[in-house]
Amino acid sequence: MTASVPRAALGIEGLHKSFGDLEVLRGIDLDLAEHEVVCLIGSSGSGKSTLLRCINLLEPIDAGRIVVEGDEITATGVDVDRIRRRIGIVFQAFNLFPHMSVLANVSLAPRKVLGLGRAEAEARATELLDRIGLADKRNDYPDRLSGGQQQRVAIVRALAMQPDLLLLDEITSALDPELVAEVLNLIRELAGNGMTMLIATHEMGFAREIANRVCFLDAGRILEIAPPAEMFSAPREERTRQFLQRVIDAGRL
Amino acid sequence: MTGGPLDPGHLIDLGIGGPRRIRRRLPPGEAVRSTLIALVSTAVVFGLLAIAVTSSPNWADVQDKFFNGAIFSRSLPKIVEAFGTNVAMFLIAEVLTLILGLVLAILRGLPGPVFFPLRLIATVYVDFFRAVPGLLIVALLGFGIPGLGIEGVPGDPFLWGLVALTLVYAAYVSEVYRAGIESVHWSQEAAARSLGLNRLQALRYVIVPQAVRRVIPPLLNDFIGLQKDTVLVSTLGVVEIFRESQILKQAAFNFTPYLDVALVFVVITIPLARLTDWLVARDRARHASNR
Ligand SMILES: Nc1ncnc2c1ncn2[C@@H]1O[C@H](COP(=O)(O)OP(=O)(O)OP(=O)(O)O)[C@@H](O)[C@H]1O
Ligand SMILES: [Mg+2]
């Protein structure tokens, strides 16, 4: 028997994306194994958010392929709504639904998309909220919660769909420093439970600690990809070094 | 509220206290003083106006022809009774308008080339019915359709008046909805779609509920217009408030019944206008406290 190669949870080949004349992604190739955590780093405007949005099919792509658990999701004629169920995404700005209670936020998609009954969906949502210590806030509206609490609800809302893959886009950037830890702890726990994640982040310390591999995105290309120990102590590329130096100068490492 | 109805803070609440400013509690002495100033200046302004009007040369004549107390109170019961027709018409039209307007707004927002024909139809519809005077639509439908004499098509002028007003106001209301839908940040739709909701579900559960909350004040505004425009169906011979007042005017050779009509509209519109102001103020306060 041949050694079993872990099946790719996510495969990206030759991904190109432009906004008008601006070519934002210029040929991205990236594979994530199951249970792998990969952090995307890179300066502002390098295309991190765009990459995540393309994977979730929130942006149409210009060229290339994206494969999730063996299914090509960028093929023509696929049901994008089915695909999005399998891929969770959490945004920097939380994007909770302000007109719904926390419980309704978390149970909406399981009810309307997965077809769960109200009682079951709410029981599951309550269980998830309990895990992040917010079950007692389930009837509150999002604007009554702190930023950290809102972001954790947003994460749990994505988890309620039991996605195969979770995309996180700078989920702590909009938070006050003292609220960052509670959100990162939750991500740590998810990583510990084997959730496959692709995380765009400016928190280099966190990337170093949690990532199996770190990916440096520069002007729409993956310039360097390496385990965090290598990436942060001995980057191969000059541009990676410059970027990390700027981060150190800014006191973020 | 601890102050009386003329407490300046209260006036601001009702939306007649002038441009909205940060509400502050006035110390008692100052509150009394500003209430007095408001009262005195109001009395002076209206007093001067009254003197100017009543001292005009033909005032006695005009007073008898337009402000005849006896005719006013004699006409009022009939006017109020006829107003029932207007009320029935605008209540039904408002419900239908809300539904048709939302459908039009959603059609106009459908993406992609497949839906181009629907977008086109909705756009032309809205442009047309906002451009053509409502009176013309009322007359075209009210006289035109029964005039065709098609078997099975009712000729009831109330019905066609109702249809005409609904068609016209749905165009306005759809624009209000559309502005509301566009004011919901795109990231809300992204969040909904990323959870696997399809476009219609995202609209139904996420976008439209937020949009509607925001546009309630402008919707009420359009309703005030719709309520007044129910008098247009008088041209079709429907005996509603304005038609009734014309009949009474003819009978008495006196314009005072029009005053009855004006009074009735003022009485039903002012609460709606104040409700609108209150909703706007509440919304603004809520936004201010959130961010
Ligand atoms: N919808 C859009 N239309 C036009 N240009 C866009 C759009 N979205 C992103 N861009 C552009 O694409 C480039 C990459 O943006 P992106 O948001 O992916 O960067 P990023 O790496 O996430 O940056 P940051 O660290 O600031 O979040 C930027 O130049 C941005 O202005
Ligand atoms: Mg970004």
Side-chain angles (χ1 to χ4, degrees):
Chain A
M1 280 200 66
T2 54
S4 77
V5 180
R7 188 163 68 133
L10 171 69
I12 302 172
E13 285 169 32
L15 175 59
H16 284 261
K17 169 73 191 173
S18 303
F19 292 108
D21 289 338
L22 180 69
E23 197 175 12
V24 177
L25 299 177
R26 308 159 182 249
I28 301 281
D29 296 287
L30 177 66
D31 285 310
L32 258 72
E34 288 210 53
H35 312 305
E36 195 181 20
V37 176
V38 170
C39 284
L40 283 174
I41 61 172
S43 49
S44 186
S46 57
K48 304 181 295 293
S49 300
T50 305
L51 176 58
L52 296 181
R53 292 171 56 78
C54 285
I55 297 170
N56 203 28
L57 304 183
L58 287 170
E59 294 287 356
I61 67 170
D62 298 325
R65 275 160 41 95
I66 302 174
V67 179
V68 173
E69 304 279 348
D71 297 328
E72 184 182 346
I73 64 173
T74 42
T76 46
V78 296
D79 179 353
V80 292
D81 296 320
R82 288 190 74 82
I83 291 172
R84 294 208 186 95
R85 290 176 211 176
R86 300 163 54 184
I87 308 174
I89 186 165
V90 182
F91 306 92
Q92 177 175 352
F94 329 142
N95 300 358
L96 291 177
F97 306 133
H99 61 299
M100 287 183 193
S101 69
V102 165
L103 189 65
N105 262 279
V106 179
S107 58
L108 177 73
R111 283 175 61 198
K112 302 304 173 190
V113 179
L114 301 180
L116 260 54
R118 188 197 192 98
E120 191 188 349
E122 292 191 343
R124 273 172 53 171
T126 306
E127 206 180 296
L128 282 167
L129 289 169
D130 199 31
R131 265 174 52 190
I132 57 168
L134 292 178
D136 58 325
K137 303 266 187 209
R138 63 181 177 275
N139 294 321
D140 284 351
Y141 282 81
D143 60 19
R144 302 287 304 272
L145 272 52
S146 75
Q149 290 171 333
Q150 289 187 50
Q151 191 56 293
R152 286 184 290 144
V153 170
I155 293 168
V156 155
R157 179 175 72 174
L159 292 177
M161 292 299 285
Q162 303 186 310
D164 300 326
L165 170 66
L166 195 56
L167 310 172
L168 306 177
D169 190 3
E170 290 185 34
I171 56 170
T172 56
S173 297
L175 297 179
D176 293 337
E178 72 269 22
L179 301 177
V180 169
E182 63 187 58
V183 172
L184 294 186
N185 282 337
L186 175 57
I187 301 307
R188 246 175 231 125
E189 195 188 317
L190 293 177
N193 293 339
M195 174 64 76
T196 312
M197 289 186 281
L198 183 55
I199 306 175
T201 185
H202 284 301
E203 303 277 343
M204 297 304 155
F206 178 67
R208 172 180 247 166
E209 168 205 327
I210 199 173
N212 299 106
R213 285 184 297 159
V214 177
C215 186
F216 175 61
L217 205 61
D218 183 57
R221 287 203 182 81
I222 294 181
L223 206 60
E224 186 163 358
I225 181 160
E230 252 171 68
M231 177 73 86
F232 290 114
S233 48
R236 266 183 296 113
E237 300 287 334
E238 179 56 31
R239 296 202 38 100
T240 318
R241 227 167 286 150
Q242 286 169 356
F243 170 74
L244 291 173
Q245 189 57 49
R246 279 204 307 275
V247 172
I248 291 166
D249 292 345
R252 297 190 73 151
L253 189 67
Chain B
M1 270 292 145
T2 48
L6 282 174
D7 177 86
H10 204 92
L11 292 182
I12 292 168
D13 257 4
L14 293 172
I16 51 182
R20 197 183 148 86
R21 45 211 153 104
I22 307 291
R23 205 194 306 164
R24 62 200 166 98
R25 272 251 151 266
L26 296 172
E30 211 180 313
V32 170
R33 216 174 67 108
S34 29
T35 303
L36 276 178
I37 292 175
L39 277 176
V40 169
S41 68
T42 309
V44 168
V45 168
F46 284 91
L48 286 175
L49 264 176
I51 291 168
V53 170
T54 55
S55 60
S56 61
N58 288 335
W59 170 244
D61 247 16
V62 170
Q63 186 181 24
D64 179 55
K65 278 270 174 277
F66 287 85
F67 299 94
N68 188 313
I71 294 179
F72 184 90
S73 37
R74 190 157 13 106
S75 308
L76 196 58
K78 285 187 172 156
I79 292 285
V80 169
E81 194 191 324
F83 189 56
T85 307
N86 301 69
V87 172
M89 181 169 287
F90 72 63
L91 286 182
I92 302 171
E94 279 166 4
V95 173
L96 296 178
T97 299
L98 283 178
I99 298 167
L100 182 58
L102 183 58
V103 170
L104 286 167
I106 288 175
L107 289 184
R108 283 194 84 173
L110 289 176
V114 188
F115 294 113
F116 178 75
L118 289 178
R119 276 202 302 275
L120 182 72
I121 291 172
T123 309
V124 169
Y125 176 101
V126 171
D127 286 351
F128 178 81
F129 281 102
R130 285 198 305 167
V132 179
L135 183 58
L136 229 64
I137 306 284
V138 169
L140 283 173
L141 289 183
F143 294 125
I145 293 188
L148 293 173
I150 301 169
E151 189 86 36
V153 174
D156 181 11
F158 177 89
L159 176 73
W160 292 111
L162 174 65
V163 170
L165 288 179
T166 301
L167 292 179
V168 170
Y169 275 89
Y172 288 105
V173 165
S174 85
E175 285 299 281
V176 171
Y177 275 128
R178 202 160 69 98
I181 288 172
E182 276 168 12
S183 78
V184 177
H185 198 258
W186 59 263
S187 64
Q188 284 288 308
E189 183 173 356
R193 300 299 301 275
S194 76
L195 290 166
L197 274 75
N198 63 35
R199 199 182 151 79
L200 264 182
Q201 290 174 320
L203 271 172
R204 166 146 178 226
Y205 300 113
V206 177
I207 314 293
V208 170
Q210 294 184 56
V212 167
R213 258 156 251 231
R214 290 179 200 189
V215 300
I216 287 174
L219 278 181
L220 290 179
N221 233 352
D222 278 350
F223 280 177
I224 292 174
L226 169 60
Q227 294 178 359
K228 291 192 296 184
D229 274 357
T230 54
V231 301
L232 296 179
V233 304
S234 63
T235 55
L236 302 178
V238 177
V239 182
E240 44 67 73
I241 190 167
F242 185 58
R243 185 74 175 189
E244 181 67 37
S245 72
Q246 285 178 312
I247 294 168
L248 294 168
K249 181 203 77 176
Q250 285 324 20
F253 294 107
N254 192 294
F255 291 102
T256 305
Y258 287 165
L259 204 65
D260 291 88
V261 175
L263 179 81
V264 168
F265 274 105
V266 166
V267 164
I268 64 143
T269 302
I270 285 184
L272 206 55
R274 292 285 80 78
L275 175 68
T276 311
D277 288 341
W278 180 76
L279 287 171
V280 172
R282 193 191 59 169
D283 208 47
R284 204 175 295 165
R286 188 184 294 157
H287 274 281
S289 69
N290 274 355
R291 292 287 144 215

